[in-house]
Amino acid sequence: MLPFPNEIFTRKLFTVPSLPPRPLPCPREAHLWCIVPDEVKCGSLLNQYLKILSPCERQAVFRLNGAKLQKSALLARTLVRTTLSRYTQSKIMPQSLRFSKNTYGKPQLVWQHEEGWIPPCLHFNISHSSSLVACAVTVDLQVGVDVEDKQRKLKHDVLSFARRFFSPNEVEFLHGMSDPLIQQQEFVKLWTLKEAYVKALGRGFSAAPFRNFTVRHHQASRIAVEVHSDSENLTENWQFALLELSTHYASICVEKDGEKEGDGNDSLKLKVWKTIPFVEDQCILETDSVVPIIRPRWPRLT
């Protein structure tokens, strides 16, 4: 179990501090915020994070078995709330944010409108493993994110797993690799790209099976999705970013801005932060043009 008592809910031990506000993402820009769970070690800080969760979120955390899973879930909900609050210019505190889910279960913001303030049209998505938590944010455009450990273990060999879930073109791509290590790494990259795409669609995995679309590396700086002709729920108007974050691959999928597409300047912009909410933030990447795979510096936060 997590190293803090349940009675935290009935005692006012902390006042939630404010967060440094951040400018909204620009058009065609995605922001990515990351937490490394092993860098968050202070029990009182974890208690502080619990305080900003809703009662339902707290109950969901404590229903999980084991301290590691509980901590990961707590940090995921904390990252969503603290990140989105930054873009309200301190008008809405993290604990005041409200959420709902679409028909397929994708979380979305429900704004409490205030007089004289028009809330931004924020879209977000969350992904986490046992050792990394990430939240992607855009304005007006749908977004999906996925993070996977680069050394992800599979129950079966790579090609057997790929034949079960991937498109024939992707299986052929992996089959052409003779080096098992490279083959495994390319499999994980493809998995993160495909999962980010499905999460950006927001329709659930049953409506977007992995076999029904192909992710391709076309040109030096472009990753694209090709949809099979019989897939009614899938579209191709998406941009991707693939990052190597220390021990993980991370993929971001962002909806293209249809009104501005084709103006010759449609590259996806990206900013990435490492954070320990209420303690430290560090921007580790800022780019106006996403390249095939980005490897930002990865400092340790204290």
Side-chain angles (χ1 to χ4, degrees):
M1 299 293 291
L2 282 170
F4 39 72
N6 286 331
E7 59 264 28
I8 183 69
F9 307 138
T10 59
R11 293 186 290 151
K12 292 187 177 180
L13 296 182
F14 300 99
T15 299
V16 176
S18 60
L19 292 154
R22 295 290 178 185
L24 291 170
C26 299
R28 301 196 189 97
E29 182 177 55
H31 289 181
L32 184 68
W33 294 80
C34 302
I35 295 179
V36 176
D38 286 348
E39 294 180 355
V40 185
K41 300 178 180 179
C42 177
S44 62
L45 184 61
L46 293 172
N47 279 333
Q48 194 166 325
Y49 293 163
L50 268 178
K51 189 174 181 180
I52 69 174
L53 269 57
S54 70
C56 289
E57 288 172 331
R58 290 195 291 262
Q59 291 171 12
V61 167
F62 282 110
R63 279 198 298 267
L64 296 172
N65 293 321
K68 195 167 186 177
L69 288 176
Q70 290 181 354
K71 183 179 180 181
S72 180
L74 170 60
L75 293 179
R77 295 312 308 165
T78 298
L79 183 60
V80 168
R81 288 182 171 274
T82 55
T83 297
L84 297 178
S85 177
R86 298 173 190 271
Y87 298 107
T88 69
Q89 303 304 307
S90 303
K91 292 185 179 296
I92 301 182
M93 297 294 285
Q95 64 270 29
S96 300
L97 291 169
R98 299 291 179 265
F99 301 90
S100 66
K101 293 183 178 180
N102 70 7
T103 306
Y104 301 94
K106 184 177 182 179
Q108 54 195 13
L109 270 169
V110 178
W111 289 115
Q112 307 295 315
H113 291 269
E114 295 186 8
E115 186 176 352
W117 181 65
I118 300 176
C121 186
L122 290 176
H123 294 271
F124 71 95
N125 197 233
I126 189 82
S127 179
H128 61 93
S129 69
S130 61
S131 51
L132 183 66
V133 184
C135 179
V137 182
T138 55
V139 173
D140 294 325
L141 303 173
Q142 294 290 342
V143 63
V145 64
D146 185 55
V147 297
E148 298 285 346
D149 192 305
K150 290 195 290 187
Q151 304 302 320
R152 174 181 172 176
K153 302 298 182 184
L154 302 176
K155 292 182 179 179
H156 307 285
D157 68 86
V158 168
L159 288 180
S160 296
F161 203 85
R163 290 188 186 100
R164 182 179 177 187
F165 291 102
F166 284 7
S167 73
N169 288 330
E170 290 164 339
V171 174
E172 183 180 359
F173 168 72
L174 293 172
H175 188 269
M177 297 176 180
S178 57
D179 187 322
L181 178 60
I182 294 176
Q183 186 184 69
Q184 191 268 347
Q185 291 175 343
E186 291 302 318
F187 170 86
V188 176
K189 292 176 191 177
L190 273 174
W191 185 276
T192 64
L193 289 163
K194 290 171 80 71
E195 188 152 347
Y197 170 69
V198 170
K199 293 173 72 176
L201 284 171
R203 292 178 175 270
F205 289 92
S206 61
F210 273 15
R211 289 178 58 86
N212 288 13
F213 63 93
T214 297
V215 174
R216 292 185 184 272
H217 292 255
H218 280 286
Q219 299 170 356
S221 61
R222 187 176 174 220
I223 302 170
V225 61
E226 293 180 359
V227 175
H228 299 181
S229 58
D230 57 349
S231 303
E232 298 179 358
N233 296 320
L234 309 183
T235 57
E236 297 181 348
N237 60 320
W238 301 89
Q239 292 179 291
F240 293 87
L242 178 61
L243 300 94
E244 188 173 343
L245 303 176
S246 184
T247 60
H248 286 71
Y249 292 119
S251 292
I252 302 171
C253 179
V254 179
E255 184 181 19
K256 287 184 180 179
D257 187 341
E259 293 183 1
K260 298 178 182 179
E261 189 173 353
D263 64 2
N265 186 29
D266 58 354
S267 295
L268 177 63
K269 300 177 182 179
L270 184 64
K271 291 182 182 178
V272 182
W273 285 267
K274 281 191 72 179
T275 181
I276 299 177
F278 305 130
V279 176
E280 182 179 0
D281 305 327
Q282 190 169 148
C283 183
I284 62 172
L285 176 72
E286 184 172 355
T287 177
D288 289 334
S289 181
V290 169
V291 296
I293 183 164
I294 304 169
R295 298 178 177 88
R297 60 193 178 87
W298 193 248
R300 182 176 181 84
L301 302 187
T302 58

